[in-house]
Amino acid sequence: MEQREAPGPGSAEALAALAAFGKMLLRLAPVYLAGRMGLSLGFVLLGLALYAGWQAARRGKARSLRAARLLLEDEERHVSAAAAGLGTSPRELPAWVNFPDVEKAEWLNKILAQAWPFFGQYMEKLLVENIAPAIRASNTHLQTFTFTKIDLGEKPLRIMGVKVHAGQNKQQILLDLSISYVGDMHIDVEVKKFFCKAGMKGMQLHGVLRVILEPLIGDVPIVGALTMFFIRRPTLDINWTGMTNLLDIPGLSSLSDTMIMDSIAAFLVLPNRLLVPLVPNLHEAAQLRSPLPRGIVRVHLLEAKNLQSKDKYVKGLIEGKSDPYALARVGTQVFTSKVIDENLNPVWNETYEFVVHEVPGQELEVELFDKDPDQDDFLGRMKLDFGEVLQARVLEEWFPLQDGGQGQLHLRLEWLSLMSDASKLEQVLQRNRGISSKPEPPSAAILVVYLDRAQELPLKKPGKEPNPMVQLSVQDVTRESKVVYNTSSPVWDGAFRFFLQDPANQDIDIQVKDDTRQASLGSLSLRLSRLLSATDMVLDQWFQLENSGPGSRIYMKLVMRILYLDAPEVCFSPRPCVPGQPDTEGSTLAGSSVDAPPRPSQASPDAQFGTESVIRIHLLEAENLIAKDNFMGGMVKGKSDPYAKVRLGGQTFRSRVIKEELNPRWNEAYEVIVNQVAGQEAEFELYDKDIDKDDFLGRCKVALKQVLSSRFVDEWLPLEGVKSGRLHVRLECLAPSPNGAELEQVLMVNSLIQTQQSAELSSALLSVFLDQAANLPLLKGSKPPSPYVSLVVQEVSHKSKVSRANAEPIWDEGFSFLVKRPHVESLELQVKDEGGQGLGALSLPLTQLLAAESLTLDRWFPLTRSGPTSQVLLRVQLRILLSQHSGVEPRSAPSAGDEAESHAWGPGLELYTGEDGDPGGASPAQDLRQRLTHTDSNSELAEGPLGQLQLTAWYHTDERKLVVVVHSCRKLRASSKDIPDPYVSLILLPDKNRVTKRKTTVRKRTLNPEFSERFEWEMPLEEAARRKLEACVKNSVSFMSREREPLGKVHLDLSQMDLSQGRAQWYNLKDDRSSS
């Protein structure tokens, strides 16, 4: 056998030359491609600059990693060299070298080195079995995500020094660990679907980790819990590989490290803490995770001087100025000041309040930047440990800017102590009135809410547990708890903090919601003035939830502390002032009635007020749409998944998606308030829903002028921009009526034409003209407020303009709302200062409008939670929205006898009689609801012995469904001493299966239940006419029993009824043994 000769020296040189030539061609490839694509030389130079910056960043990170590893590998040699003045800088040495109270912990490092491989095994298992599946499930594009390599390397985390803080608290052990991780870890990931590989190879993390062992207990394991956090943000440096190499490009490098650092800070930098309980049932967990602060530091950012000029012009020949702003940071608490344009001596006069937990330890860091369109230039920074502020109580100095900056920064810092009694509250409020604070008013107290758990929350769906979460609100600040899944007795174990400006007049609002549907599970509003009189200003108890179940309650601990500055009086005015007295010289007599013009008795809206129109848009169906879903390169034709976008009056609505259908039926309705503005159009656009980009299926338009003139448009519109397809729409301009008697008919019609796909239809239009206010309360320091008004009806809100520095503001604005059920809704109005302070409120039930002449109120309304004479002038009018093309027969007009008995509610009103027979015991809203459900065309039907049931049976032609509305029952007969809990069961005969059965909800302890519930059966009209409807009223005897006590029954032969009209009828209930 012949032996193959090894390549000679000439062959090796040739291969090396070929490799060098190939690398050169590869580097020149971007230049060739840029020329081929016609790009300018600037793009090539930009690419070269980015590549050079990337290479420099990579080399810098590699050098930093090598130096840090050498220091850790031979710590003693580097310390000796530094002591001899050679090599390493003292700043780079371990903490135990520079600080005598920091001790070495070599024994701990040996333990970590021994355990490091096993920690690596645990991390590999965690990443592969827990993290990777979660990432794959988070997005369809990441379904092929995998960890291809996980190696934490051989370099373990090291403890460079330990400092023990002894004697501070006998119930805890407090340690500061100087940690340093310079690891050779190597983690690679891959998304196979996109051939994407990324990872990291090497990382540095340096910082001081505080570890608190508390509470100390008299049983094993002696320590109840372990709390860990970084007092200051640690430093981080990552060496990326693969696609993440791009993160080393200048600009992206600092951005990526900052994002990762923010994620770490969200868990481990004060005020965030990591709590590890060591004993079960640790009741103090929330208090340990979020303890009361040590104090509050109020930082007055006053001014700066002699800052560096960063704005240059004409390539640096002309020197400009800077646009400075400040960034103040304490841990994760960050505030940013306003930008002062073109000024090297800026004046801010802004105030911030920081929560301080650890003193000494936590520090204030203020950085100054020059605002630029691209990247802001650094102007310098200052740092100050809060231990100095605690010692001085009030510290006001010019601080020199460090780290390459020039100039000085003028700050005033005040240490506010936390007091557990309200004796100093008035003094604190008086002092705060003299402080001109921006952007927020100064705080007088802090509130910490420890949210523990809740019990017996209601089930929104039978048999399905809710996913409860809690929203806590104080004025405009809202916090949210975590979501606890599938339980009616959740445990949140969370803590929330609020600053209070006026604790005696503020509330905390608590909403318990089901996270999946955002449905309310209960609410609670608590006056914070209760805490001022409570022992130690603490409430630690169960609170009963409102609008919830009978046993629903929530357990919380609320702690309030007054923020008191224990220092001599300091005047914030440049001229002398008397301690404790506000400076009122030169202030205007806001609210004074001297020489003031007489106030109007009624509002004065313009001629356009109340002339809005309401357009109801019915998106019905489409035909012959284009098939956009093709398969196998277009060889197999599919269909489309169409949906529609509807635009009118600045609003956009989107229909549901109909899967795989070229002739979709939506049957959805939308409502829009429009003004008489020329050129408006109702625009309809159809799309095919796809995973990536939705395909266009056509558009059509209807001029609003056509709808307003004809009042009704029902057309098939051809689709533009496509080859085929047309859309069936119906637009109606609803006629507004000032007659409250029409409301009953409108609500009945809406209940019949309502589709399951659409939101509840509106029955009225509410127009509000906000004229002016009088005698609004003054702000602290006798300053006039800058008020605005927030108006809310259900989920819709509007906001007025701000009237600057005026206790007698004039707004002169109009607002409109669509109202679904006027007899139960209300207008909620709040007057606020632009700083967020409440100035007054008004709650106006719309039943007052229903009782008013022409459904209009025009007068002064007194404000609650305001001054004794504070009031607002409004014109509020309600207009009933009548549909002339609903397809439902209008009810007959009330008889003359009915009119003779009517009063303020209008014609057809029946007097509400309670179950005990006493008239007049109900509220006006109950009177109205009774009238809405009990007045009908056959109300004179002779009453049967078992009572009566009111039903509407109607066939919805557009929906092709049989619709039955169960309105109410009256004068049911109780078969025992107890008042029944009635409900109605419906069956379409002859079938008696689940498909045809329906039932209403149970009404508790009443002989006159109101249901107003709608039920549908999808079937042709011919089949509906052959059916019989059995309606049985039953008593829900008990929760545990399956037996239901029958109270009466009604049999309806639908073949004998006119299902096209839909009229509400009363029917006598008969015994179960009787036939219809």
Side-chain angles (χ1 to χ4, degrees), residues 186-204:
H186 191 176
I187 298 178
D188 288 336
V189 300
E190 182 179 6
V191 182
K192 295 181 180 178
K193 179 179 178 181
F194 302 104
F195 306 101
C196 175
K197 295 182 179 181
M200 62 173 68
K201 188 174 182 181
M203 183 178 77
Q204 289 190 67

Side-chain angles (χ1 to χ4, degrees), residues 804-823:
R804 299 288 176 186
N806 196 348
E808 305 271 340
I810 298 177
W811 291 287
D812 195 24
E813 292 184 74
F815 308 92
S816 300
F817 300 87
L818 289 173
V819 180
K820 297 174 174 57
R821 301 182 183 183
H823 49 289

Side-chain angles (χ1 to χ4, degrees), residues 8-75:
S11 301
E13 291 176 0
L15 288 173
L18 282 174
F21 183 68
K23 288 181 180 180
M24 185 179 65
L25 286 179
L26 189 62
R27 289 170 181 166
L28 290 175
V31 180
Y32 170 76
L33 290 175
R36 184 76 176 174
M37 296 169 63
L39 299 177
S40 67
L41 183 62
F43 285 94
V44 178
L45 295 177
L46 177 63
L48 291 174
L50 289 176
Y51 178 74
W54 174 78
Q55 283 279 33
R58 299 279 297 172
R59 285 194 293 267
K61 286 190 175 184
R63 283 196 301 270
S64 176
L65 280 171
R66 282 196 301 271
R69 285 173 186 165
L70 289 173
L71 174 61
L72 292 181
E73 287 171 359
D74 198 350
E75 182 179 299

Side-chain angles (χ1 to χ4, degrees), residues 771-1074:
D771 195 316
Q772 57 186 289
N775 299 332
L776 294 181
L778 302 181
L779 298 178
K780 301 159 190 176
S782 300
K783 296 180 181 178
S786 297
Y788 70 92
V789 175
S790 169
L791 303 100
V792 180
V793 175
Q794 292 293 89
E795 303 297 325
V796 180
S797 63
H798 293 296
K799 181 179 174 182
S800 76
K801 62 188 177 185
V802 176
S803 180
R804 299 288 176 186
N806 196 348
E808 305 271 340
I810 298 177
W811 291 287
D812 195 24
E813 292 184 74
F815 308 92
S816 300
F817 300 87
L818 289 173
V819 180
K820 297 174 174 57
R821 301 182 183 183
H823 49 289
V824 297
E825 296 182 29
S826 62
L827 170 67
E828 303 294 335
L829 181 148
Q830 284 191 323
V831 185
K832 295 183 178 180
D833 178 68
E834 66 174 342
Q837 179 178 338
L839 301 174
L842 169 67
S843 180
L844 180 65
L846 300 188
T847 50
Q848 293 188 23
L849 285 166
L850 292 170
E853 183 180 356
S854 300
L855 308 185
T856 302
L857 293 173
D858 191 345
R859 59 182 174 83
W860 287 95
F861 293 85
L863 293 174
T864 60
R865 302 201 298 272
S866 187
T869 59
S870 300
Q871 50 188 339
V872 62
L873 179 59
L874 301 174
R875 178 184 175 91
V876 190
Q877 72 177 32
L878 196 68
R879 294 295 180 261
I880 309 303
L881 298 176
L882 303 180
S883 173
Q884 308 295 337
H885 302 271
S886 63
V888 182
E889 178 189 2
R891 293 192 185 165
S892 56
S895 63
D898 290 335
E899 289 189 19
E901 296 178 1
S902 66
H903 58 284
W905 291 109
L909 175 66
E910 293 183 356
L911 179 63
Y912 178 77
T913 305
E915 293 173 8
D916 56 359
D918 294 332
S923 67
Q926 289 173 315
D927 287 349
L928 179 64
R929 286 195 293 272
Q930 195 76 1
R931 179 175 72 83
L932 294 178
T933 55
H934 289 183
T935 303
D936 59 275
S937 59
N938 67 335
S939 60
E940 300 302 321
L941 177 68
E943 297 178 358
L946 301 180
Q948 294 179 319
L949 170 65
Q950 189 188 33
L951 297 173
T952 297
W954 181 59
Y955 189 80
H956 198 312
T957 307
D958 291 334
E959 287 277 303
R960 300 173 188 173
K961 293 178 181 178
L962 174 66
V963 178
V964 175
V965 180
V966 180
H967 296 287
S968 58
C969 299
R970 64 184 177 188
K971 297 185 179 179
L972 297 178
R973 187 182 69 181
S975 58
S976 62
K977 294 181 180 181
D978 296 330
I979 298 176
D981 298 336
Y983 71 95
V984 180
S985 172
L986 303 174
I987 304 177
L988 270 185
L989 300 176
D991 299 331
K992 286 191 175 184
N993 52 37
R994 283 180 182 268
V995 178
T996 63
K997 289 183 178 180
R998 306 283 192 276
K999 69 175 183 178
T1000 68
T1001 54
V1002 177
R1003 297 291 185 253
K1004 295 291 185 181
R1005 298 181 60 79
T1006 178
L1007 297 175
N1008 299 292
E1010 297 180 12
F1011 299 101
S1012 298
E1013 296 187 35
R1014 171 192 173 111
F1015 304 95
E1016 299 176 348
W1017 291 267
E1018 191 168 351
M1019 60 179 63
L1021 176 60
E1022 297 76 16
E1023 182 181 348
R1026 294 194 296 267
R1027 297 277 187 154
K1028 293 184 179 181
L1029 177 67
E1030 179 184 277
C1032 185
V1033 183
K1034 299 181 180 180
N1035 176 23
S1036 180
V1037 179
S1038 70
F1039 176 75
M1040 300 298 295
S1041 172
R1042 292 182 61 115
E1043 297 297 325
R1044 300 293 183 262
E1045 177 186 359
L1047 301 177
K1049 185 179 291 188
V1050 170
H1051 287 274
L1052 300 179
D1053 188 350
L1054 300 184
S1055 64
Q1056 304 301 315
M1057 301 177 64
D1058 186 358
L1059 297 178
S1060 64
Q1061 299 304 319
R1063 299 172 60 182
Q1065 300 283 338
W1066 283 104
Y1067 300 93
N1068 285 330
L1069 293 172
K1070 299 186 178 181
D1071 190 274
D1072 198 21
R1073 296 182 294 273
S1074 303

